Each structure stands twice: as structure tokens, then as C-alpha cells.
Amino acid sequence: AKTTGKNRAVFYREDFNQTLSGKVAMEKELRRALAQNELILYYQPQVDAATEKLTGAEALVRWQKAPGVMVSPAEFIPLAEETGMIVPIGEWVLRTACRKAKQWIDEGASDFHISVNVSPRQFYEANFVDIVASVLEKTGLPPRLLVLEVTEGIAILDEGKTTEKLIQLKQLGVHIAMDDFGTGYSSLAYIKQLQIDILKIAQTFIFEVSSDPDKAPIVKAILAMADSLKLTVIAEGVETEEQFRFLQENGCNWIQGYYFYRPLPTDEMNRVLSKSCVQ
Ligand code: C2E
Ligand code: CA
Ligand code: CA
């Protein structure tokens, strides 16, 4: 029994070491990736549900580890969040996306907005508002065309602080979207209190519109309440015509999903823009 205990202890210690050194190695790799320009942005167009015209795009980070080897953000964002590497990565994403959006606007895509994901760790940095202000100033992007996508995670730490920071951001003129709405605990009343402008209905709800008819009334209710609260609603993960029609008929404002566009590399996004919304 003693031996087993010892072995078990060793096993646990080794496991811990492995995890820890694995994390340290990954952090180092991420730092190097950022410095050597291995991070790139894809852009997923967002479409107006009524007109089917482009209204904006969400910037989604990718790690191009080697030619042809692309690491999904789902694999490295959680660790970047844990190690704090999300702070410099997030700042790079913000700057790069705003610079690109300004270029598209200058090329004729008027009123085209850019959505950027903000992780809780990034949001809680003391100088986050200053960074956003400085990026807007340096890139010349009109603040109203920047949408910061936050998650319910930002409210967990300190509600008062969260509200204060959101107010400071709104004073810059940017818009705030609540990402993955419906998966957590926030009520629409709370969303209104936080002065959120845009609700992104989580992908799981959209999926369930077609797979489980019982879920459709929930999405309908969210859309109706959001409308009465004057919130803009965007549905993400829209993959089928059926889902699109349902959302269109029930007053969803914007649509994002494979039904219209997948996330696109910059050159493809350039092509889509030059064909569609430059008037
Ligand atoms: P998210 O913010 O919820 O982004 C939407 C995800 O859904 C993206 O995955 C997108 O490619 C995918 N998607 C879009 N349309 C469809 C569809 O019709 N069907 C399906 N099945 N999926 C669709 P992606 O690019 O792998 O990003 C995953 C997550 O990583 C994002 O989820 C976001 O939480 C995080 N992430 C991505 N880029 C950044 C970033 O720059 N900063 C931070 N903090 N997080 C990021
Ligand atoms: Ca998002
Ligand atoms: Ca989302």
C-alpha cells in the first residue's frame, strides 16, 4: 500500500510538472509567435438580415505555426488567458483589426463596423480603456464603428468595476456587444443595466432553432424583448436557410454564420468588400 501511495504521489507530481512545464513552454511559444508575426486575423462578415448586405465583420485570431499548419483559437486562447499572454495578443488583435477596418472604410465601405473579442483578463487590465483610446486615435477609425465583444465573464470579478469600465468605454464612442448570450446567467435587465448595445445570441440557440422546435419560442422571446429594449441583435452560427428565415421573420438585425460567409483571410475579405458594399 505504501508503494502504491508513493507511486501515486510521484505520478501526480510528474503530471503536475508536465502540465506546468507544458504551460510554460506554450507561453514561450505564444510569445515567440506574436513576435515573429505568426498570428494572423481572419474576418467573418456580418450581414443585415433585412437587406442581406454586409454591415461589418468579426476579427478572429489564428496561429499560423508553420506553412499550412493553423492552430485554432480554441486551442490557445484559454491558455493565453491563463498565462496573461492574452493581454499583448489582444492588444495586437485590436490594433490590427482597427487598422484594417479603417483601410476598408477609406476604400469605400462606409459604415462598416469591426467586432473585436475582448477576454476578461484583458478587460480587467488597468489601462484597457487607454489602450482602446490610443488605438482609435492612432488608426483614425471612427469609434462608433468599433464593437467590443465581451462575455459574461467580465462581470464575475466585480460588478461595480465592470459597470464603471463599460461606461468609460462607451464615453469613447465605441459599442459593446455581449457575446454568447443565453449560455450564462445574464438577464436582459442586467444587459440593459450594463449599457450593452448589441446582443449576440449564442450559436447553440441558433442550432436548436432547427433541431428542437421547442427552443424556437426562446429565441423569439429574446428577439422580442431585445427589440423593446432597443438592443441590436446578432445571431451567430447561422448555417441554414431555415435558420436565416426564422431569424429574419422574427426581427433579428444581423446575421453571422457559414450560411453567408465563413471566416475569411484578409485578401478574400478584400475581394468580398470590393464586390459588395462599396457604393
Ligand atoms: P466566438 O467569439 O464565439 O466566435 C465565433 C466562432 O464560431 C468562431 O470560431 C467562428 O469561426 C465560428 N463560427 C462562425 N460561424 C459559424 C457557423 O455558421 N457554424 C459553426 N459551427 N461555427 C461558426 P473560431 O474562429 O474558432 O474562434 C473560437 C473562439 O476563440 C471565439 O468564439 C472566441 O471566443 C475566441 N477568439 C477568437 N479570436 C479571438 C481574439 O482575437 N481574442 C479573444 N479574446 N478571443 C478570440
Ligand atoms: Ca465573438
Ligand atoms: Ca460567440
Side-chain angles (χ1 to χ4, degrees):
K2 227 177 182 173
T3 319
T4 315
K6 202 175 163 194
N7 283 345
R8 198 184 288 137
V10 169
F11 169 75
Y12 276 131
R13 196 156 56 227
E14 271 179 3
D15 190 44
F16 175 72
N17 276 340
Q18 215 171 41
T19 311
L20 188 66
S21 62
K23 277 179 186 168
V24 170
M26 178 72 150
E27 184 186 348
K28 230 173 126 186
E29 269 285 278
L30 268 176
R31 201 178 294 280
R32 189 193 53 75
L34 183 63
Q36 297 183 353
N37 299 316
E38 287 182 5
L39 297 186
I40 52 170
L41 291 186
Y42 270 44
Y43 297 91
Q44 187 173 31
Q46 299 169 337
V47 170
D48 184 291
T51 64
E52 298 187 34
K53 289 205 168 116
L54 254 61
T55 64
E58 178 178 5
L60 294 160
V61 72
R62 302 282 180 269
W63 179 2
Q64 203 164 29
K65 218 170 179 175
V69 183
M70 201 79 92
V71 186
S72 146
E75 278 182 53
F76 66 89
I77 292 288
L79 199 98
E81 173 87 24
E82 211 179 303
T83 58
M85 270 306 286
I86 194 66
V87 175
I89 290 174
E91 189 178 336
W92 176 84
V93 169
L94 182 70
R95 202 171 348 103
T96 307
C98 288
R99 198 190 295 133
K100 187 48 77 184
K102 173 68 163 88
Q103 190 188 324
W104 286 327
I105 290 158
D106 287 347
E107 286 166 4
S110 59
D111 278 339
F112 189 82
H113 69 259
I114 186 79
S115 293
V116 176
N117 291 289
V118 176
S119 82
R121 179 101 175 227
Q122 204 186 345
F123 183 86
Y124 269 99
E125 281 289 294
N127 62 352
F128 180 64
V129 179
D130 296 336
I131 285 171
V132 175
S134 138
V135 166
L136 287 169
E137 198 202 302
K138 286 198 180 117
T139 59
L141 180 73
R144 67 185 174 83
L145 296 177
L146 174 62
V147 178
L148 297 176
E149 294 194 4
V150 299
T151 56
E152 290 173 328
I154 62 158
I156 285 165
L157 295 176
D158 179 341
E159 207 173 294
K161 225 174 172 179
T162 299
T163 311
E164 191 187 305
K165 215 153 200 177
L166 287 173
I167 289 169
Q168 288 173 351
L169 288 167
K170 302 264 321 227
Q171 281 167 351
L172 297 178
V174 307
H175 288 106
I176 310 288
M178 180 59 75
D179 207 353
D180 303 327
F181 181 74
T183 56
Y185 300 99
S186 19
S187 62
L188 280 169
Y190 183 58
I191 293 288
K192 200 61 196 170
Q193 184 202 313
L194 290 181
Q195 303 197 40
I196 301 287
D197 307 285
I198 300 167
L199 273 193
K200 283 194 95 165
I201 305 182
Q203 205 158 307
T204 48
F205 279 81
I206 305 309
F207 176 70
E208 281 166 346
V209 162
S210 42
S211 69
D212 178 358
D214 286 350
K215 289 283 164 56
I218 298 175
V219 175
K220 260 191 194 179
I222 293 174
L223 287 167
M225 281 191 279
D227 183 55
S228 67
L229 292 171
K230 298 198 166 51
L231 292 161
T232 298
V233 182
I234 173 160
E236 64 180 341
V238 178
E239 293 184 351
T240 66
E241 161 133 36
E242 183 191 13
Q243 291 164 347
F244 168 56
R245 294 291 166 217
F246 175 87
L247 292 159
Q248 195 184 39
E249 277 159 26
N250 289 285
C252 184
N253 304 93
W254 298 340
I255 305 286
Q256 181 180 344
Y258 298 169
Y259 178 64
F260 284 105
Y261 298 97
R262 291 185 171 253
L264 307 172
T266 308
D267 56 338
E268 275 184 52
M269 190 66 209
N270 287 339
R271 269 198 295 280
V272 166
L273 273 169
S274 65
K275 266 190 274 177
S276 61
C277 81
V278 183
Q279 285 147 354

